[in-house]
Amino acid sequence: MIKVVRGNPTPEELAAALAVVQARAAAVADQPSSAPAPPAAWADPARVARHRLPAPGPTAWGRTYWPG
């Protein structure tokens, strides 16, 4: 939806503005996506670190291993 916020465009001005918006949308849709594919879930480091961090204290060093 497009809404005119300020001013009073003529029908020709409004048609020209809509043509520009449609042309830009078509150009963006035709472009191939250059973004790399998202990594697979097994490669996500957050999968390994889902557990809470160990509570600080004198024996915390013994609980700092990565779960298998």
Side-chain angles (χ1 to χ4, degrees):
M1 170 174 273
I2 295 179
K3 180 179 179 181
V4 177
V5 179
R6 196 179 279 177
N8 191 13
T10 64
E12 293 82 15
E13 291 172 335
L14 192 55
L18 289 176
V20 170
V21 170
Q22 286 180 338
R24 179 65 179 146
V28 170
D30 290 342
Q31 270 185 344
S33 176
S34 62
W42 64 267
D44 186 10
R47 178 183 62 87
V48 177
R50 287 188 181 153
H51 306 292
R52 288 184 45 167
L53 294 173
T59 59
W61 64 269
R63 296 185 306 255
T64 58
Y65 68 91
W66 283 96

